[in-house]
Amino acid sequence: MSGVRRVISGSMLVLGSALVGGCITVNAPDKPIVIELNINIKSEVVYRLANDAGNTIDENADIF
């Protein structure tokens, strides 16, 4: 009996896949895809300048 169930289950799976397969369509968009990236570079530059200034002050403590 389990063999019959496997055949029936397999048949239902193939039939279901065939029915759903015809409903899916993939089309390329008419307009180009635009990706906008807003990157904040200011914080990194300020951090690097602050770190460099700190090192300069430490190296030349007698000037400051």
Side-chain angles (χ1 to χ4, degrees):
M1 192 101 177
S2 66
V4 174
R5 286 187 180 179
R6 285 185 182 177
V7 171
I8 292 173
S9 297
S11 299
M12 294 178 91
L13 182 64
V14 170
L15 181 62
S17 297
L19 292 174
V20 173
C23 299
I24 299 172
T25 58
V26 178
N27 296 326
D30 295 335
K31 298 177 183 177
I33 298 171
V34 177
I35 300 173
E36 295 183 18
L37 298 175
N38 296 324
I39 301 172
N40 187 0
I41 299 174
K42 180 180 177 182
S43 61
E44 183 178 348
V45 172
V46 170
Y47 176 75
R48 286 186 182 177
L49 288 175
N51 192 16
D52 186 39
N55 290 338
T56 303
I57 291 171
D58 290 341
E59 291 172 1
N60 302 310
D62 55 336
I63 297 174
F64 296 101

